[in-house]
Amino acid sequence: MNWLGSLQQLGRAVMIPTMVLPAAAILLSAGSLPWGSWGLPGVSEALNVAGSGVLLYLPYIFAVGVALGLANQAGYAGLAALMGMTIYEQVIEHFASGQIQPTTLIGILLGAIAGALYNRFKDFKLPETIQFFGGSRFVLLFMGLLSALFAFAMLAVGPILQAIINWMSLEVEAMGGFGLFVYGILYRVLSAFGLHHLLNNVVWFQFGSFETASGTIVQGDLPRFFAGDPTAGVFMAGLFPIMMFALPATAMAVIHEAREDLKPKVRKTFVRAALVCLLTGVSEQIEFAFLFASPFLFALHSVLAGFAMWLTYALDIHHGFSYSAGLIDFVLNFHLSSNGWKLIPIGIIYGLGYYILFRWAIRKFQIPTPGREEGSMLEDWAGNIPYRAPLILQALGGRDNIVQVQACITRLRLTVANDRKIDGHALKSLGSAGLIRLGGGNVQVVFGTYSELIREEINKLIDRELDHVLFSSPVHGRMIQLEDVPDQIFAKKLVGDGVAFIPEKNELVSPVAGTVIHVYPTQHALGIRTNEKIDVLLHVGIDTSHLEGAFEAFIKEGDIVEPGQLLIRFDLPLLKEKAKSLATPMLITNPDRVRSWSFAPFKGVKKGQASVMSVVLYDKDTNSK
């Protein structure tokens, strides 16, 4: 794995423990309510202590979370990280008398060590007499020794490391608004690669120190904000105008510039995306709509986002969030903010500016945002995820191409054996907003907030040994439902079940691997038997059997064919003139073998595109579930 892929894995792992912060924010917000006037003064204290407790133990939470993220949720890795933090704190407390704080950075380091040890030694074998201490148990033993040595090393290195972080914090503070401007740009640029969590962790959890009334030292812009530090929140306030106003306005611009025939689907998708961004601050679904279509526009967006950080700093606005800069966090944490109300007029100005700018740019430069060309609309198909997962897996190169599949909030993070096997066009048709190749087999596929569900279904497919047959597109054109074929024999599935295509080019290729079992005399149709004994019928056009000379077959009965191999070339202009319809069915004529069906979206497809249809077969011997 190359260095960028390693950072991708670490970035995802660092994000996992931050998921506990909304709980702390809710507890602290609830604790600020006037419980005393309601006759329940103890409730307020209990809620505040509970919320503060989450922030106090963030180093432990980060250690466990990072270890779990790097070790694919392995419990032994999390336990090793927790033990490592316990040993570290005890050593530091005894020898440094509290002069070195157990920061989240230490938690991340110990979590990364625990995760790496687990991945390296989880299958470690010892002599049979002491094998009880081998494998995952060896990770605990090794981690105990290593964390003690790490703690002793930190007695010397810790003060130096803390001095470096303090120096960085002071340098950024000395830069004033310009430092925030640079941070805002880097945040947006790194978010395209899923690496922004690494930058944010330094800023949100390392920069600055604050001593609470109880004497506890809190570090980082985010914990300091929730601890009541009046100087905290400068690294978060400038994100609210972007998430709550600018990007939702961009979504509206995408909708209004869509083609009229595609506008209903675009509206449904991007209104939901705008609401998600407004409420929760999850913005990638909107940003990826123009990131690949117009990198220049994304660069301009990054600069404007940086300027928002500078502007909020200049206006002395302090606000923060536990999760992201959405309306929920804005309202929930408003009682801790300073001049937070100013974010509303700034956001309105930003929203209007983004809407006008993006509508103008999309129209002026003909930017192919969703709805201006056929492609993925990120449609609402959460209920179909189990059925589309086989197609997504095939588009990723198949089960054998997957080394590791993980997910964060909005994207799959994969390590594959060969990233050239990934079909980006097929992924787009299946709902992907973007594909990022990081090199070394590390890729990211943006599926929005469905990513975790997709990961679960893909892992199920990888773990199960199901008998799948995957079908590529036999033509370049448009896929339609079989019921839409203007012929009752096909539409009522009297011959078999499957899909159909409207070809736009004059070649028919094999959708599967198998053997040609029949070629009709006029060469307008043929049958293929797959290696799984599925019989497939391909029929070019409707009422075309009388069109002699319109077809040229490049195979014969008994030939072995592979997906994408040319089968028939036909006279497309003649078919348009003489045939009842260009509809070309692809049928399974023995559908009793099929247990379940999966179909890609019924829209434009390329010749040989994998996969447009997937079927799971009954057990070969029992023919039962």
Side-chain angles (χ1 to χ4, degrees), residues 152-476:
F152 279 114
M154 287 303 296
L155 290 172
V157 177
I160 300 174
L161 191 60
Q162 186 61 56
I164 293 173
I165 293 174
N166 291 339
W167 172 80
M168 292 173 58
S169 177
L170 290 173
E171 285 297 309
V172 172
E173 184 178 344
M175 294 172 69
F178 182 73
L180 273 294
F181 173 72
V182 173
Y183 164 71
I185 294 176
L186 289 175
Y187 180 103
R188 297 261 67 86
V189 172
L190 290 175
S191 67
F193 302 95
L195 301 177
H196 52 299
H197 303 297
L198 298 177
L199 172 67
N200 290 341
N201 186 269
V202 175
V203 172
W204 293 349
F205 298 102
Q206 311 299 329
F207 276 11
S209 297
F210 176 69
E211 185 173 353
T212 65
S214 62
T216 303
I217 302 297
V218 179
Q219 291 185 301
D221 198 52
L222 191 151
R224 288 191 294 113
F225 175 77
F226 285 103
D229 185 351
T231 66
V234 293
F235 286 95
M236 296 179 283
L239 296 173
F240 283 99
I242 302 300
M243 303 302 191
M244 289 173 52
F245 295 93
L247 288 172
T250 301
M252 295 300 105
V254 170
I255 293 170
H256 293 153
E257 288 300 319
R259 282 171 19 194
E260 288 300 322
D261 58 322
L262 297 176
K263 191 168 288 186
K265 288 184 177 179
V266 175
R267 180 182 296 112
K268 179 181 179 182
T269 298
F270 277 85
V271 166
R272 182 179 63 247
L275 288 173
V276 169
C277 190
L278 168 65
L279 295 174
T280 69
V282 176
S283 62
E284 288 168 289
Q285 189 167 334
I286 299 173
E287 288 180 302
F288 274 83
F290 62 89
L291 169 60
F292 297 107
S294 178
F296 173 78
L297 202 56
F298 185 82
L300 180 59
H301 160 59
S302 300
V303 173
L304 290 173
F307 183 74
M309 301 292 296
W310 195 339
L311 182 60
T312 55
Y313 175 83
L315 294 175
D316 195 30
I317 301 173
H318 300 260
H319 206 327
F321 48 77
S322 60
Y323 176 65
S324 189
L327 181 62
I328 294 174
D329 260 304
F330 179 85
V331 174
L332 199 62
N333 307 319
F334 187 79
H335 67 286
L336 295 172
S337 70
S338 175
N339 294 322
W341 64 270
K342 294 181 181 179
L343 293 172
I344 301 300
I346 294 173
I348 292 173
I349 295 171
Y350 254 79
L352 290 173
Y354 264 63
Y355 177 79
I356 295 170
L357 171 64
F358 272 77
R359 284 206 69 175
W360 173 81
I362 291 170
R363 185 178 302 176
K364 174 71 174 179
F365 302 107
Q366 294 298 303
I367 299 172
T369 50
R372 295 178 63 83
E373 62 174 7
E374 290 287 352
S376 169
M377 304 302 170
L378 294 176
E379 298 171 38
D380 186 9
W381 47 270
N384 292 328
I385 286 175
Y387 303 101
R388 295 202 186 185
L391 304 179
I392 294 173
L393 179 59
Q394 179 64 13
L396 292 171
R399 179 186 318 203
D400 294 338
N401 197 40
I402 303 296
V403 177
Q404 186 180 52
V405 55
Q406 297 175 325
C408 62
I409 299 170
T410 57
R411 63 186 82 188
L412 294 180
R413 296 172 181 255
L414 303 120
T415 304
V416 297
N418 185 354
D419 61 6
R420 294 183 179 181
K421 292 183 178 180
I422 297 177
D423 189 336
H425 181 81
L427 288 171
K428 184 178 180 182
S429 72
L430 289 164
S432 166
L435 171 65
I436 304 168
R437 302 175 191 265
L438 298 175
N442 298 287
V443 297
Q444 298 176 0
V445 188
V446 180
F447 276 108
T449 51
Y450 298 144
S451 296
E452 181 61 31
L453 297 176
I454 295 171
R455 181 198 67 82
E456 292 177 2
E457 291 300 326
I458 289 177
N459 279 332
K460 289 178 185 177
L461 292 171
I462 293 174
D463 293 339
R464 287 184 296 177
E465 289 294 334
L466 296 177
D467 204 357
H468 272 96
V469 181
L470 299 158
F471 291 77
S472 301
S473 173
V475 299
H476 180 97

Side-chain angles (χ1 to χ4, degrees), residues 509-553:
V509 300
S510 179
V512 290
T515 304
V516 178
I517 57 175
H518 186 63
V519 180
Y520 284 75
T522 55
Q523 302 181 351
H524 72 289
L526 56 85
I528 299 174
R529 179 164 293 161
T530 72
N531 300 329
E532 298 83 7
K533 308 303 180 184
I534 291 292
D535 293 335
V536 182
L537 171 65
L538 296 165
H539 192 288
V540 182
I542 303 300
D543 290 347
T544 55
S545 59
H546 64 286
L547 299 178
E548 295 186 8
F551 305 93
E552 179 185 5

